[in-house]
Structures are given as C-alpha cells and as structure tokens.
C-alpha cells in the first residue's frame, strides 16, 4: 500500500505524460482542431454532444467538468481515447430533464470545447490545471480542512465576521468526520485581503478552532491564495490528500446503509491490458465528474468508458491504466481505488432536508444563520454560499447533532424564525431508497454558483 502511494507522489515529477511541446501542440490544434457537435435531432429525449480532438493529458476531466459546470445531466456517455485521438459522445439534458435548446448555451458549449476553448498553458501544469473556474472577483480564497463536529461552521464564520471579513462564496463538504471548506472572502471595502498581519491573525484564529477538535495523526490546515480555483475539484483534492477514504469501509454516516453502498469491482482485461473499474450506484448529478476527478487525482488514465443511467441507478465502466502504464495487479491497489471512488461518491450525497436562504448580503450574515442552526441543534453536512449582486444565496443540507434526519416540524419552526429577516425555503431532499418525483428529477439546486462559468466565458 505504501509503495503504491510513494510511487504516485513521485510520478508528478518523474513520469506523468510524455512531454508536449507547446509549439507542436499549437501546430497540431491548427492542423486538427477539436470538432464539437451539438445534436438535437438524433435522440428524442436528450441532446448529443460529440467531441473529437487530439488526445492530451486531462482532456476527459476538462470536458466533463465543463459539462458539469453548466449543470447538464449526463445520462449516457461513450469515451474512447486510446492512441492519439480523443472521441466522446455525451447524452445530456438540463436540470428538468429536457434537451439543451438555448442558443447561447449551445454556442458556449461549442466555444468552450472547441478550438477557442483550448489552452496550451494548462498542459504543462496538469493536474492542477484550472478548467471552468467559478469567477467571484478579486477575493482571497481560504482553504480549511480538519475534524468535523457540530457547530464548527458557525465558529468559523463567527471568526471571519469578528475580523470584518465578508464571505462572498463558499462550499463546504463533510465526510467520515472530516470537513473541507473553500471560502472566498473580502473586507468591508470589497478589496483583496492582502495585508500580511490580517492574514496571519485570520490564520491563527481559524487554526485554533480546527486544532481544538483534532485527534490522532490528522492535522488541521488553513491555506490562502489570491487566485481562483474550481471549488468541487479542489474539495476532492483536499479530502483525498487528507485520506478521508480510509474510513470508508466503516463509516457511520447516516447517508449510506450497507445495502445502498456503491458496488465497485475491478477486473483485468487481459486482451487489451487494462484494469476495468465497474461502478453501480444510485444515480445523481455530477456522478461522472466525481469519479473521473478521483481517478485523475490517483494518477490513472481513462482510455475507454461507458456511462449509462437506468433510473434510479447508474452504471459506469472505466478502462484504465496507471500513468506509468501499469494495471491494478495487487489486491491492495484494487482495495485502495475502490475506497477512494466510494469516498468520492459519498462526499456529495446529501439526503434529508435542505434550507435555502436569500437575503441582502452583509458582513456577518453567514455567522448569524449558522449560529441559529447550531442553537436549534442542527449540524451542517454540506453547504454552498454564493453572492449575486447585493443578494446572498445560501443552501444548507442539515441533520441533527447525531447525524439523523431532521423532523420537518423543527424545520418549519426554524423557517419561521429565520424568515423574519430573509426569504427561506425548506426542501426535503430525495432519499436513497426512492426515486425523485418528476418535478424534482434532475436534482435541482445541485449547483450553488448559478451561471458564473457561463458569464465568465461570455465576458
């Protein structure tokens, strides 16, 4: 197990992909530019997006991430990238299960996946390459990871409010008693938080909160940056580096029972020399992105894949090799990949009750809301905070302090309390054992950052 992990750490500098000369790639793209087709005639119930391109490192993740950022639901996909060419077909719908017919959206897809969306600079920096970032302006990014406990998000937001920092965007995931957050903050003058003394004070206070609930060898961390990051991509990287998957086999999270746990198997394709990873689980939005993201972080290359959805289940099959050309030969390697994919699937699952809030943005708003949630005995298992103009749009997925579903009567009382100063909507998230009704199928509200990617590209 340790040998495999050490090998993956070293591969970033030693093996990776063959060297790509930027000038040659520019020439290759000019001679063989990516071809993108958006087809609304071949299939009666979905839109077909076909991508043909010269193969390059990370291209599958780049394409899937763009489609995911547009909130498309991928119902089927066929991937082939064996050799020098990359050929994909995606069957997609919008969040309501309808075809993609908006001309601006179609134009964006063609631009983003076509020649105008190709970047030579990102190849050299892969896999940290940013594709489809969420633009939130000139704000400081804060990354936090540590042991989760009830009320922790409330304490974090209270520290930021006391230091006069406003949270303009954030996403919070919890899994296997770990919490990972990416937050964008600004001061009251909406300028970057770039003064060293302010950053040091913020870091010190946040680390004190996180260290107060650490146990064992795990280390809480606070990091800052002045650039942009893709939140979902970064959260996967943070939790993977934190080894949250090590608890997957014995998790007590209420989200998953043993009967509903993803079924993941790994076999060997002797004829072609691939390892075949098969995943069957409850279908949901962004499932393919989460799996591809994890395989990429583990330094595996997807050569072929087939994705299908037969509601309420999804079946996905990936033909992979490690970047050094090796397949998964030992039981230890297979077990680790299975645990990591299972963790990636579980991180985004949020069942029970969601609380959606809309209010005028101000410093301390997040602190006020999370304090009320804590005082009512609720814990946040996932959250998304975004700002559009002067309005703050917040989504919280909550459970009680023991991790159990919240009684709707409690949520109704909470809605009345918070609703005195802001618009509140309480929703029951479809459970694992049932199919969402037609009006909610498509996993509405799966994206917390409405239209940012689309607006950034058109700017």
């Amino acid at each position: 197990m340790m040998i495999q992990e050490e090998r993956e750490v070293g591969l970033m500098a030693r093996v990776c992909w063959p060297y790509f000369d930027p000038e040659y790639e520019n020439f290759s793209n000019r001679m063989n530019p990516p071809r993108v087709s958006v087809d609304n005639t071949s299939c009666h119930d979905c839109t077909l997006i076909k991508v043909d391109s010269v193969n390059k490192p990370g291209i599958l993740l780049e394409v899937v991430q763009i489609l995911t950022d547009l909130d498309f639901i991928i119902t089927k996909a066929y991937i082939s990238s064996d050799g020098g060419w990359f050929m994909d077909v995606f069957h997609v719908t919008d969040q309501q299960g309808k075809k993609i017919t908006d001309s601006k959206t179609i134009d964006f897809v063609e631009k983003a996946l076509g020649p105008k969306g190709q970047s030579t600079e990102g190849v050299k920096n892969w896999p940290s390459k940013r594709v489809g970032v969420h633009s939130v302006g000139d704000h400081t990014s804060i990354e936090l990871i540590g042991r989760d406990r009830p009320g922790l998000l409330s304490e974090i937001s209270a520290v930021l409010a006391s230091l006069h920092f406003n949270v303009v965007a954030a996403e919070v995931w919890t899994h296997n008693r770990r919490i990972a957050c990416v937050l964008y903050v600004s001061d009251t003058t909406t300028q970057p938080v770039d003064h060293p003394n302010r950053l040091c004070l913020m870091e010190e206070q946040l680390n004190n909160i996180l260290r107060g609930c650490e146990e064992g060898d795990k280390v809480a961390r606070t990091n800052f940056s002045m650039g942009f990051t893709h939140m979902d991509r970064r959260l996967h990287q943070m939790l993977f580096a934190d080894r949250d998957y090590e608890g997957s086999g014995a998790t007590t999270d209420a989200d998953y029972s043993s009967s509903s746990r993803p079924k993941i198997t790994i076999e060997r394709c002797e004829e072609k020399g691939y390892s075949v990873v098969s995943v069957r689980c409850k279908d949901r939005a962004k499932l393919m992105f989460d799996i591809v993201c994890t395989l990429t972080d583990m330094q595996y290359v997807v050569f072929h894949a087939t994705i299908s959805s037969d509601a309420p289940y999804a079946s996905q099959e990936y033909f992979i090799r490690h970047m050094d050309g090796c397949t998964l030969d030992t039981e230890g390697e297979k077990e680790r990949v299975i645990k990591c994919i299972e963790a990636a699937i579980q991180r985004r699952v949020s069942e029970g009750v969601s609380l959606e809030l809309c209010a005028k943005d101000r410093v301390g708003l997040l602190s006020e809301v999370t304090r009320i949630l804590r005082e009512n005995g609720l814990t946040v298992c996932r959250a998304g905070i975004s700002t559009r103009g002067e309005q703050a749009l917040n989504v919280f997925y909550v459970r009680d302090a023991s991790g159990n579903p919240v009684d709707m009567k409690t949520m109704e009382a909470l809605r009345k309390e918070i609703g005195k100063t802001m618009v509140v909507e309480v929703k029951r998230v479809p459970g694992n054992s049932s199919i969402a009704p037609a009006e909610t199928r498509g996993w509405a509200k799966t994206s917390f950052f409405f239209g940012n990617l689309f607006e950034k590209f058109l700017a």
Side-chain angles (χ1 to χ4, degrees):
M1 182 76 70
M2 291 300 297
I3 294 175
Q4 169 72 4
E5 292 173 358
E6 290 172 1
R7 181 176 69 179
E8 290 178 358
V9 172
L11 277 169
M12 287 295 297
R14 296 186 294 101
V15 181
C16 288
W17 283 70
Y19 172 71
F20 277 76
D21 186 284
E23 292 303 318
Y24 173 79
E25 188 186 354
N26 286 336
F27 173 76
S28 179
N29 281 335
R30 288 196 300 268
M31 295 298 294
N32 300 286
R35 295 190 299 269
V36 181
S37 170
V38 180
D39 178 5
N40 271 316
T41 60
S42 298
C43 190
H44 74 280
D45 59 354
C46 66
T47 298
L48 271 59
I49 298 178
K50 303 174 184 178
V51 183
D52 293 340
S53 169
V54 173
N55 198 14
K56 66 178 182 180
I59 188 170
L60 176 59
L61 177 59
E62 178 176 345
V63 171
V64 173
Q65 185 165 294
I66 288 172
L67 297 179
T68 299
D69 284 344
L70 287 168
D71 285 340
F72 291 169
I73 302 299
I74 301 174
T75 57
K76 290 183 182 179
Y78 305 95
I79 313 299
S80 179
S81 60
D82 202 349
W85 204 253
F86 174 81
M87 296 175 287
D88 287 7
V89 179
F90 297 91
H91 295 233
V92 302
T93 68
D94 62 16
Q95 290 285 310
Q96 287 70 45
K98 299 178 181 179
K99 290 184 177 184
I100 312 301
T101 57
D102 179 73
S103 59
K104 290 184 178 180
T105 304
I106 292 174
D107 183 59
F108 169 73
V109 171
E110 293 174 342
K111 287 181 179 179
L113 299 179
K116 293 183 180 180
Q118 300 297 310
S119 170
T120 60
E121 184 64 26
V123 174
K124 295 182 292 185
N125 300 323
W126 189 82
S128 60
K129 176 180 178 183
R130 293 182 292 111
V131 285
V133 298
H134 293 298
S135 174
V136 293
D138 294 327
H139 303 291
T140 298
S141 171
I142 305 174
E143 297 179 355
L144 305 171
I145 191 160
R147 183 177 177 82
D148 189 29
R149 57 178 167 79
L152 181 59
L153 182 59
S154 175
E155 294 180 32
I156 291 171
S157 57
V159 165
L160 296 175
S162 68
L163 296 174
H164 305 288
F165 294 132
N166 186 36
V167 179
V168 295
E171 191 154 350
V172 181
W173 288 2
T174 63
H175 180 245
N176 280 340
R177 302 185 182 90
R178 307 298 293 174
I179 184 171
C181 315
V182 177
L183 308 97
Y184 285 97
V185 301
S186 65
D187 64 15
T188 54
T189 61
T190 68
Q191 297 300 311
V193 189
D194 56 359
H195 195 286
N197 291 340
R198 299 191 72 190
L199 291 177
C200 288
L201 180 60
M202 185 199 305
E203 182 176 12
E204 179 183 1
Q205 295 194 20
L206 291 175
N207 277 334
N208 286 337
I209 292 175
L210 293 172
R211 290 194 190 107
C213 50
E214 282 297 337
E215 293 180 2
D217 298 329
K218 297 279 189 178
V219 178
R221 297 188 302 278
T222 303
N223 296 320
F224 300 97
S225 72
M226 297 303 296
F228 299 120
T229 186
H230 186 281
M231 288 194 175
D232 290 6
R233 179 86 173 93
R234 187 65 190 129
L235 287 167
H236 275 304
Q237 290 175 332
M238 291 167 62
L239 287 167
F240 173 72
D242 194 58
R243 298 189 180 187
D244 69 322
Y245 56 84
E246 291 182 345
S248 293
T251 182
T252 58
D253 287 351
D255 288 327
Y256 269 89
S257 64
S258 58
S259 60
S260 60
R261 192 179 301 276
K263 293 178 174 58
I264 306 171
T265 60
I266 300 178
E267 304 293 339
R268 179 174 171 79
C269 177
E270 297 288 349
E271 181 181 356
K272 296 292 185 178
Y274 299 125
S275 291
V276 184
V277 180
S278 300
V279 181
R280 182 169 174 79
C281 62
K282 291 286 185 179
D283 198 10
R284 62 164 175 78
K286 303 188 180 183
L287 179 62
M288 184 180 182
F289 169 80
D290 293 338
I291 295 174
V292 172
C293 190
T294 298
L295 291 173
T296 301
D297 288 341
M298 298 186 75
Q299 307 296 308
Y300 288 102
V301 181
V302 177
F303 291 89
H304 301 278
T306 56
I307 312 299
S308 63
S309 175
D310 184 15
Y313 292 98
S315 296
Q316 304 194 7
E317 193 171 61
Y318 298 88
F319 293 73
I320 67 171
R321 293 193 197 112
H322 200 272
M323 277 190 166
D324 60 7
C326 297
T327 55
L328 293 159
D329 296 324
T330 69
E331 290 303 316
E333 290 176 322
K334 294 178 181 179
E335 181 182 358
R336 184 165 180 264
V337 170
I338 289 173
K339 284 186 175 182
C340 288
I341 292 177
E342 183 177 334
I345 295 172
Q346 291 180 352
R347 287 169 194 153
R348 202 192 293 272
V349 170
S350 299
E351 298 172 0
V353 177
S354 71
L355 191 66
E356 301 177 9
L357 311 174
C358 181
K360 186 174 181 178
D361 188 36
R362 56 181 170 80
V363 175
L365 176 62
L366 179 61
S367 175
E368 176 186 335
V369 173
T370 52
R371 174 185 57 79
I372 294 174
L373 295 177
R374 184 192 68 209
E375 291 174 351
N376 282 270
L378 302 180
T379 183
V380 178
C381 56
R382 191 160 70 95
I385 290 88
S386 60
T387 306
R388 170 166 279 184
E390 296 184 349
Q391 295 298 310
L393 308 171
N394 300 342
V395 182
F396 300 94
Y397 293 86
V398 297
R399 290 184 175 275
D400 67 18
S402 301
N404 298 315
V406 182
D407 184 85
M408 289 302 291
K409 291 182 179 179
T410 302
M411 293 301 297
E412 184 61 25
L414 183 65
R415 187 188 66 79
K416 291 180 180 179
E417 179 180 354
I418 300 179
K420 296 175 182 178
T421 57
M422 61 191 76
V423 179
V424 183
E425 186 172 358
V426 177
K427 292 185 178 180
R428 183 178 294 278
V429 182
N432 253 348
S433 59
S434 62
I435 304 175
E439 62 270 16
T440 62
R441 196 172 299 145
W443 307 276
K445 296 290 185 182
T446 56
S447 173
F448 300 130
F449 303 93
F450 311 102
N452 283 334
L453 175 64
F454 186 74
E455 293 167 3
K456 177 178 182 294
F457 197 90
L458 295 180

